[in-house]
Amino acid sequence: MITKSIRERLLASSMICGMAVLAAGQATAQTAPAPADDTQVEEIVVTGSLFRRTDTETPSPVTVMTAETLAHAGISTAAEAIRTISADGAGSIGTGFQSGFSAGGSAVSLRGLGVSSTLVLVDGLRSTNFPLNDDGHNAYVDLNSIPFSLIERIEVLKDGASSSYGADAIGGVVNLKLRKQFQGLRGSAELGESDRGDAAHKRADITMGFGDYAATGWNLYVNAEYQKDGRVTNHSRGFPYNTQDLTSIGGRDLNSADDTVTTATPNAMVTRMSQRDLNDPLSGTGTLLDPGKVYNSLNLNCANGTYTQVSANANGTGCKWDLVDTYRQIQPLQKRYAFNGRLSFRLNENIEGYITGSYSSNYVSIKGTPSTIRATQPYGGSPSVSALTVVLPVWVCSTGNNCADPAAVGRRLNPNNPYAAAFAGDPSNGAARLYYLFGDIPAGSERDNRVIRGTAGLKGSVGDDWHWTVDVVGARDNLTIEQHGLINIAALRQAINTGSYNFVDPSKNTAAVRSALAPDIRTPSHSSLMSIDASITKKLWALPGGDMMLAVGAQARKEVLENNNQNVRLDTYGLTTSSAFGKHTVKAVFFEVAAPVLDTLELNVSGRYDDYSEGFSNFSPKFGAKFTPIKQLAFRGTFSKGFRAPTFAEANPRSQYAGFVSFSPPPAFIAAHGGSTNPYAQTYSIGRGYAGNPDLKPEKSRSFTVGTIFEPTRWLSLTADYYNVKKSDLIIAGPKTQDAIAAYFTKSTQAEACAAVAAVGAGYACNVVDVIDPLAPTALPRLLILNAPYVNANAMTTAGVDVSATVKMNLTDSIRWTSRAEVTHVLKSDLKLDDGTVWKYAGTLGPYDLSSGNGTPNWRGNWQNTLAFGDKYTLSATAYYVGKIKSVARDQRADMTCATGNQYFPGTGASNIDIGNRFCNIKRFINVDLNGTAQVTDQVQLYANVANVFDAKAPVAPGAYSSAPNFLTSFHYAGLIGRAFKVGVRFSY
């Protein structure tokens, strides 16, 4: 553990540097393309091209992060590095988002086009996708599976690149370039924690290399790395991240567990109700029989005190709870380790080769809120297993069957039912309607993702004009999910009918009883990829600006996905039934021509034809130009077309998923159910069910960029690029879902409401409707799950500006200053519906249905400043900026005004409008990290890092998902963890 004195010294030094950074301007820090170094002559292959070049400023905008800039930022994972890119937008997935389909994974969403439209490569080659699909249908490579200690540079191509790489590169490409050769011994070790004493961090890596490649023609290295990051609970961060009660700052009180008797808590609450089937505790009628509508607590041993509710619909005394504070966590426990190796060899002066192998494991342990007794039947399950009106019968017996029969074995009055004795002779009218949370059964999941990947390749030349490469890659991702605390339907019936589970004092339940009621559920899934790539490049003839180059190539790959249904038997409440299956073969041919027609003009043309075994194909062209009228100034631009192939989840008829998002019922519905104090009328999760559609077409894209590079001096480089991307034939999960849900809530009866849903369009239907509200039995019941189709529809256009600046300057003979800044401003993020309606997302929480519902910030940026004191010391400050976000979402409601369309509290009443205006915007967020290094000897370097040095708090975001109350996980995560410290050592021999 870092001592307090160390923390204080680190904080004092970090504040000095951090204030200097902020005084220079509250932008942000970290990565931008470095200006060309005139002394650097090494040729490299820049992402998006097949040709080697010395100039990294291509016609396409590319952001480059080196190992050095990442070290100065204190970054220690590939996921953390990539997701700091300012172009990462809507749909980005962080490990802190734990309630989504892809919980445990991490992904980048360039240009806010979704993780399926961003291609992630390792050394220019594909890897297999994470076996779980984001939002049930989007495919991506898990960034947590990529080794960090071997990364030499990360290149982010912020332009369409289907002409080079095929599908999924509509938004751009992230290419992680790993070390090619290494000789000697090097490694690092670091420890850290937050200033709250949690978020413990441990990390270590080591690399050993043998063979002087230049002298002997071979090199072999092996590498290992390990990292562990501890949990952070909502309770530890306090208000407003640990509660849904924001009344102290003028918001709503959505924590009904401390004032409402019908809210399930670990202290069971009951009221008398009739039972249709005495053998089935799930057959409560929903009608209260107590004239006074009195609710009774089975256990008033309350750690947090009691409350008393007095109202027309419910009366009683219960225990106060704040379930978010008690059970939720902001950061899960995460452990990673990896082993990597590479053999590089030279067969002769013209042929070189390599073989690599890697194995990585990413383990994530998530804790959640315990299961409730009130649960919807699994998607696709019979309504007869709905547990929304669970009752405790009057009689229990040993077998759990026909217990009301006097001859039943072990028959006795139910010790959990306080009405049992009074209604021993009338068991149909003496049942106890139960509201309960299984607080004695911990809930959560363990997710272990293990990726095996191997590559091999040869490259060579024939004469001076011909160069060729062949690469093969094979990868398999094995994911195992083990779920805890979910209630088995048959076991619940048996436990209630036998009285084996003690609802009065759950602490007396045995481990065997708990295990039988909520057995652990283990589900394996996997994905795999096999690919071979080959290309040939040739110098054609000399042009005034240099040699004209031609490259042609081909690729063949096979991809397989088996994402198994975790609830295939439909026997467990609260467990997803999502699944996806598929396999295909993709064949492609491609070309690229580089033509330096003049010293001042470079042209580039490329194209690729992909053919999928499902029966569709696509040709993707791209044109680029770079004009340099003078050495200090260049103009560049590109135009390209691309595509995204349907994922297996979207297109395979065996695939299905039911997705849930937070939904606030309309004001009329709330009023009909007695107001917002009734839990039945509060925000809840509404589901949409989909099945794969084999008739889907690929999404198509058109994109262009226009930019400039300005280097007025050797120490200053500036870039500015405008981008515009349009996707058409979007693969949409129910484009009329919003209309269908709205149509349902315009009616007064279930039959009329479901008919209105069906009238919206083919494929729309009520799948599950809630039981009637016992507090408002004549009002419309809630829609729980809606069926909707996958279709090609609509178009998405996103446009904006990327600006970067790099300064490298000697302040004195011994002090060197390096400053890098990168900013992205989203000008447009528009979804155009087939009817011509345009939904505008830029600067709002929309698209709310995409991934973590974190919206589309229209400003993101980063800014890193480093002072190097000779060869001994460095001090770096890295700042990050996210602009304000308006708390509205067009994909949730048509009203985009703060007063009445606020995602947090929509409505037209005076109090609604007041709250809507008060929480109109999620404020901007700025946090600064500080990092210092000291070169103790030529072989040993010490370093220290203070993350979020000013302890900036995440802005209050009450319109966020209820699973992440009052904060955004993708863009404000540092403000949830708070100030944190790391110290470490790097060594090299």
Side-chain angles (χ1 to χ4, degrees), residues 400-653:
N401 293 312
N402 300 316
C403 295
D405 186 343
V409 177
R411 179 176 182 258
R412 59 191 175 116
L413 290 174
N414 190 347
N416 293 307
N417 184 347
Y419 316 114
F423 288 87
D426 186 14
S428 294
N429 291 309
R433 167 74 183 273
L434 180 64
Y435 296 83
Y436 179 66
L437 203 69
F438 288 89
D440 63 321
I441 304 178
S445 63
E446 319 290 323
R447 298 165 182 260
D448 193 357
N449 189 41
R450 303 189 176 195
V451 179
I452 303 171
R453 187 174 187 269
T455 65
L458 292 171
K459 67 178 182 179
S461 60
V462 179
D464 295 330
D465 295 340
W466 295 87
H467 300 273
W468 56 271
T469 64
V470 178
D471 297 283
V472 295
V473 57
R476 182 180 171 100
D477 191 324
N478 297 304
L479 172 70
T480 300
I481 300 178
E482 188 165 325
Q483 304 277 4
H484 311 297
L486 298 174
I487 305 302
N488 180 273
I489 298 172
L492 176 64
R493 281 179 164 143
Q494 187 71 2
I496 291 176
N497 283 345
T498 61
S500 62
Y501 186 88
N502 190 332
F503 291 96
V504 176
D505 187 357
S507 66
K508 294 181 179 178
N509 289 312
T510 65
V513 167
R514 293 170 179 149
S515 178
L517 191 58
D520 291 343
I521 301 168
R522 191 174 186 272
T523 308
S525 293
H526 70 264
S527 65
S528 63
L529 172 141
M530 292 291 294
S531 178
I532 180 169
D533 295 71
S535 66
I536 300 173
T537 64
K538 186 182 188 308
K539 296 179 182 178
L540 296 180
W541 52 75
L543 294 174
D547 292 324
M548 184 171 181
M549 302 289 293
L550 170 68
V552 295
Q555 181 191 75
R557 71 177 190 271
K558 181 178 181 180
E559 297 172 307
V560 177
L561 173 66
E562 185 176 303
N563 173 18
N564 291 305
N565 187 339
Q566 299 173 44
N567 200 3
V568 66
R569 292 184 295 272
L570 302 178
D571 62 355
T572 303
Y573 290 126
L575 184 58
T576 180
T577 58
S578 297
S579 60
F581 305 92
K583 59 182 178 180
H584 63 204
T585 301
V586 183
K587 301 175 183 178
V589 291
F590 48 88
F591 74 91
E592 182 179 355
V593 176
V597 295
L598 300 170
D599 287 338
T600 57
L601 180 61
E602 170 189 345
L603 301 180
N604 186 282
V605 180
S606 59
R608 178 177 170 123
Y609 178 81
D610 289 87
D611 182 73
Y612 280 70
S613 58
E614 289 95 327
F616 58 83
S617 58
N618 191 79
F619 176 69
S620 305
K622 184 172 183 177
F623 307 89
K626 181 182 174 184
F627 176 56
T628 311
I630 58 176
K631 182 179 180 181
Q632 293 80 13
L633 180 65
F635 301 95
R636 62 185 176 188
T638 65
F639 176 85
S640 64
K641 291 187 176 182
F643 77 109
R644 181 181 79 80
T647 66
F648 294 132
E650 295 165 335
N652 192 296

Side-chain angles (χ1 to χ4, degrees), residues 39-44 52-55:
T39 65
Q40 181 180 347
V41 295
E42 178 189 3
E43 289 187 333
I44 61 172
R52 302 182 72 85
R53 58 189 294 151
T54 57
D55 181 6

Side-chain angles (χ1 to χ4, degrees), residues 275-536:
Q275 183 178 0
R276 290 188 301 271
D277 181 351
L278 295 182
N279 271 327
D280 187 1
L282 311 183
S283 66
T285 63
T287 302
L288 302 185
L289 298 180
D290 190 305
K293 297 184 178 180
V294 174
Y295 289 72
N296 296 286
S297 176
L298 298 186
N299 182 348
L300 276 175
N301 182 14
C302 308
N304 303 310
T306 63
Y307 67 88
T308 299
Q309 179 182 355
V310 179
S311 70
N313 293 316
N315 298 274
T317 298
C319 294
K320 290 182 177 180
W321 284 86
D322 193 315
L323 302 177
V324 173
D325 183 80
T326 304
Y327 296 109
R328 295 277 180 85
Q329 63 178 13
I330 288 172
Q331 176 171 291
L333 171 67
Q334 187 166 19
K335 292 188 288 187
R336 306 183 185 95
Y337 63 85
F339 302 98
N340 308 276
R342 179 181 174 111
L343 170 66
S344 300
F345 52 88
R346 185 169 57 241
L347 297 179
N348 56 48
E349 63 180 9
N350 294 320
I351 300 177
E352 296 178 292
Y354 71 91
I355 300 172
T356 76
S358 66
Y359 174 86
S360 67
S361 173
N362 179 51
Y363 167 82
V364 179
S365 175
I366 298 172
K367 291 185 177 181
T369 304
S371 296
T372 177
I373 195 75
R374 300 186 71 243
T376 309
Q377 73 266 26
Y379 175 66
S382 168
S384 65
V385 300
S386 171
L388 292 168
T389 50
V390 180
V391 295
L392 301 174
V394 169
W395 295 98
V396 295
C397 59
S398 300
T399 62
N401 293 312
N402 300 316
C403 295
D405 186 343
V409 177
R411 179 176 182 258
R412 59 191 175 116
L413 290 174
N414 190 347
N416 293 307
N417 184 347
Y419 316 114
F423 288 87
D426 186 14
S428 294
N429 291 309
R433 167 74 183 273
L434 180 64
Y435 296 83
Y436 179 66
L437 203 69
F438 288 89
D440 63 321
I441 304 178
S445 63
E446 319 290 323
R447 298 165 182 260
D448 193 357
N449 189 41
R450 303 189 176 195
V451 179
I452 303 171
R453 187 174 187 269
T455 65
L458 292 171
K459 67 178 182 179
S461 60
V462 179
D464 295 330
D465 295 340
W466 295 87
H467 300 273
W468 56 271
T469 64
V470 178
D471 297 283
V472 295
V473 57
R476 182 180 171 100
D477 191 324
N478 297 304
L479 172 70
T480 300
I481 300 178
E482 188 165 325
Q483 304 277 4
H484 311 297
L486 298 174
I487 305 302
N488 180 273
I489 298 172
L492 176 64
R493 281 179 164 143
Q494 187 71 2
I496 291 176
N497 283 345
T498 61
S500 62
Y501 186 88
N502 190 332
F503 291 96
V504 176
D505 187 357
S507 66
K508 294 181 179 178
N509 289 312
T510 65
V513 167
R514 293 170 179 149
S515 178
L517 191 58
D520 291 343
I521 301 168
R522 191 174 186 272
T523 308
S525 293
H526 70 264
S527 65
S528 63
L529 172 141
M530 292 291 294
S531 178
I532 180 169
D533 295 71
S535 66
I536 300 173

